[in-house]
Amino acid sequence: MDHQRYMRRALELAAQAAEHGDVPVGCVIVRDGEIIGEGRNRREERGDATAHAELEAIRDACRRTGSWRLHGCALYVTMEPCPMCAGGIVNARLDEVRYGVRDGKAGCCGSVIDLFQEGFNHRPRVYRGPLEGECEEILQQFFRGLREPRPEEKI
Amino acid sequence: MDHQRYMRRALELAAQAAEHGDVPVGCVIVRDGEIIGEGRNRREERGDATAHAELEAIRDACRRTGSWRLHGCALYVTMEPCPMCAGGIVNARLDEVRYGVRDGKAGCCGSVIDLFQEGFNHRPRVYRGPLEGECEEILQQFFRGLREPRPEEKI
């Protein structure tokens, strides 16, 4: 199914983020069945507080299409967007958001607030999933790795 | 007064945005009395939905300091931040926000929502002003210019 294909690509990008020491979150933007933007979390890699997967993907899609208006596009992201990224989704006029795992600390699709129901000038359709389980697993694996003692500490 | 000096620099950046056809919003970030980040709205100039003044300034400050954590910094912006930029302020851990004109359509310091009171993991101090009048005037001037008929239409 196509939704699964796009979320699977977002999961690949999340895995790349983890390889660079960043919390594994990945994102793709799709228009007419074609991926027109990709991003992964690069906050640590770049030392940039704004380099979340969704904003990276929005910037990429704007560059590739030559416009800041991403009408007719769907965004797939492995984790529920934070306020910055949910705001970016409003600003870019994205039609649809599909996210994997919920974020109880910063999630803006209902977990902390539902930013899209607050009366801003654009409101995307929002769906949970597909592949929620895999989106959760990649995060858990990353944080388990951070908590595990290093080999020399095990002695 | 120093607050005025920083907001005046933000107003200069706003004027540059207008020269490039963008809604005039400017922003500076200050640490220990020194400007360490600057940005202006470049949405139209760059065709990038994320290129708001605040995010441009945050990126600039992260680049210059080599860190995504902007502890001990104050942000001065000529217009109340939108959800994306308010979220960026949370993500960058900025201590203080000072804004000029209110934004009834997207403002997140109380005009539409008060994002900093929603329980996210960082909460900056927020102040209105200084130079609110000049921040409003530069916007009004820009929109008056857009509404005025072109010379050939006056005939």
Side-chain angles (χ1 to χ4, degrees):
Chain A
M1 207 180 96
D2 274 355
H3 294 316
Q4 291 204 2
R5 183 158 68 88
Y6 302 131
M7 194 62 95
R8 207 163 286 291
R9 177 61 189 148
L11 278 161
E12 284 174 14
L13 293 159
Q16 289 175 18
E19 283 164 23
H20 289 81
D22 268 297
V23 175
V25 183
C27 180
V28 302
I29 295 175
V30 175
R31 179 183 272 162
D32 299 330
E34 192 194 345
I35 292 178
I36 60 155
E38 292 192 338
R40 64 170 195 255
N41 181 24
R42 301 181 103 155
R43 185 178 69 169
E44 301 294 341
E45 185 191 349
R46 290 216 186 133
D48 177 354
T50 76
H52 281 195
E54 299 94 313
L55 285 205
E56 291 286 300
I58 289 170
R59 275 179 220 145
D60 187 35
C62 290
R63 260 192 308 265
R64 293 204 220 171
T65 63
S67 170
W68 62 263
R69 290 178 190 85
L70 300 177
H71 288 302
C73 292
L75 178 145
Y76 294 74
V77 60
T78 57
M79 190 163 79
E80 188 179 357
C82 79
M84 177 181 74
C85 294
I89 287 163
V90 170
N91 290 347
R93 314 282 192 261
L94 284 154
D95 283 12
E96 201 172 292
V97 175
R98 291 184 187 263
Y99 71 95
V101 61
R102 284 193 181 279
D103 180 4
K105 285 185 188 166
C108 283
C109 298
S111 290
V112 180
I113 59 170
D114 190 342
L115 190 93
F116 304 125
Q117 303 297 325
E118 294 285 357
F120 295 105
N121 64 349
H122 177 77
R123 187 193 295 186
R125 297 181 298 276
V126 179
Y127 303 93
R128 179 92 194 276
L131 305 180
E132 305 96 301
E134 294 181 46
C135 293
E136 190 167 355
E137 175 54 28
I138 196 172
L139 274 179
Q140 286 181 341
Q141 206 170 8
F142 179 78
F143 287 112
R144 266 198 306 270
L146 289 186
R147 278 196 306 270
E148 266 173 21
R150 293 182 200 134
E152 68 271 23
E153 294 174 331
K154 284 183 186 165
I155 301 165
Chain B
M1 207 181 95
D2 274 356
H3 294 315
Q4 292 205 3
R5 183 159 67 88
Y6 303 131
M7 194 62 97
R8 207 163 285 293
R9 177 61 188 148
L11 278 161
E12 283 175 15
L13 292 159
Q16 289 175 17
E19 283 164 25
H20 289 81
D22 268 296
V23 174
V25 184
C27 180
V28 302
I29 294 175
V30 175
R31 180 184 270 162
D32 298 331
E34 192 195 344
I35 291 178
I36 60 156
E38 292 193 339
R40 64 171 197 254
N41 181 23
R42 302 181 103 155
R43 185 177 69 169
E44 300 295 340
E45 184 190 349
R46 290 217 186 132
D48 179 352
T50 76
H52 282 195
E54 300 94 314
L55 286 205
E56 291 286 299
I58 289 171
R59 274 178 220 145
D60 188 33
C62 290
R63 257 192 310 266
R64 292 203 221 172
T65 63
S67 169
W68 61 263
R69 290 177 189 85
L70 301 177
H71 287 302
C73 293
L75 178 145
Y76 295 75
V77 59
T78 56
M79 190 163 78
E80 189 180 357
C82 79
M84 177 180 75
C85 294
I89 287 163
V90 170
N91 291 346
R93 314 282 191 262
L94 285 155
D95 284 12
E96 201 172 294
V97 174
R98 290 185 187 263
Y99 71 94
V101 61
R102 284 195 181 276
D103 179 5
K105 285 186 186 164
C108 282
C109 298
S111 290
V112 179
I113 59 171
D114 190 342
L115 191 91
F116 303 125
Q117 303 296 324
E118 295 285 357
F120 296 105
N121 63 349
H122 177 77
R123 188 193 295 186
R125 297 181 297 276
V126 180
Y127 304 93
R128 179 93 194 276
L131 305 181
E132 304 96 300
E134 294 180 45
C135 293
E136 188 167 357
E137 176 54 28
I138 196 172
L139 274 178
Q140 286 181 341
Q141 206 170 8
F142 179 78
F143 287 112
R144 266 199 307 270
L146 290 185
R147 278 196 307 272
E148 264 174 22
R150 295 182 197 134
E152 68 269 24
E153 295 174 330
K154 283 185 186 165
I155 300 165

